[in-house]
Amino acid sequence: MTYDATGRLLLTPVDKEGPERARRLLRLDLGRRPEAAFDLFADRLAEVTGAPCAMVNFIDEKRQFFAGLHTPDGGRDGVGPSAARRSEARDHGYCPHVVARRRALVLDDVRDYPRFAANRVVDEVGIRSYLGAPLLDDRTGLALGTVCVVDTEPRLWGRSGLATIKEMAGELMDIVRGRVDPAA
């Protein structure tokens, strides 16, 4: 867990489902390597939202893995995580909050929210706005990860942005459901 400088504001949410989620991701063979289908999905997500960076992110107990990634230069590099850094600690960014809350998160300007403004992606990566939705596994009830978009400028995502990110999360879960699940 990560706290702010005063030690009062919990910046990384407690994740009681982490071990169970890690086992489920392992069974589904998700979150271990980049996947072309997820990269293409991230490309489409960026196009639909107009965001420079989009991710398909699976989160286990200790880290988050960007199995799908779109960045401004198209080379899977640049703003946000780079191709060489598809993995980040759980306290990096906003997706762990989405997973813990099991609800979409809209941050038009992350600096407007003390809990989120203190996250190191603001200074280290330049993230100013975030829009993400959980990937809910209807078989187990777990939030496996997120689909999200970020921008280096504040953005008014609005209701349409929220509806879009939720719809895209549902589409991605249709792809995940199509995977062979040995526990099924």
Side-chain angles (χ1 to χ4, degrees), residues 1-156:
M1 290 182 283
T2 304
Y3 291 87
D4 72 335
T6 66
R8 292 190 307 252
L9 185 61
L10 179 65
L11 300 178
T12 305
V14 174
D15 184 13
K16 294 178 182 177
E17 294 180 341
E20 185 179 357
R21 181 181 320 102
R23 288 189 296 274
R24 180 69 173 151
L25 290 171
L26 187 61
R27 280 194 304 274
L28 292 172
D29 194 27
L30 292 170
R32 298 166 41 150
R33 65 187 166 286
E35 296 192 29
F38 294 150
D39 280 339
L40 291 172
F41 191 90
D43 290 343
R44 190 163 70 85
L45 182 56
E47 182 180 335
V48 167
T49 61
C53 193
M55 293 156 274
V56 173
N57 186 9
F58 296 104
I59 300 174
D60 66 22
E61 296 171 273
K62 297 181 179 146
R63 71 180 178 107
Q64 42 190 325
F65 186 82
F66 306 106
L69 180 62
H70 172 89
T71 59
D73 66 5
R76 314 274 178 227
D77 210 0
V79 173
S82 69
R85 273 190 19 201
R86 290 248 187 172
S87 179
E88 295 286 355
R90 267 193 75 254
D91 66 349
H92 200 89
Y94 311 109
C95 292
H97 293 273
V98 173
V99 167
R101 294 164 26 121
R102 303 173 52 78
R103 292 190 345 239
L105 179 63
V106 179
L107 301 172
D108 295 331
D109 186 340
V110 298
R111 293 183 179 172
D112 290 342
Y113 305 89
R115 169 165 300 194
F116 300 115
N119 194 287
R120 64 186 196 196
V121 296
V122 175
D123 294 326
E124 290 178 16
V125 184
I127 303 300
R128 285 294 300 275
S129 62
Y130 172 91
L131 177 64
L135 298 172
L136 299 173
D137 181 4
D138 55 3
R139 187 168 191 280
T140 63
L142 294 169
L144 302 176
T146 67
V147 292
C148 68
V149 293
V150 298
D151 201 335
T152 57
E153 299 294 326
R155 299 261 313 242
L156 296 176

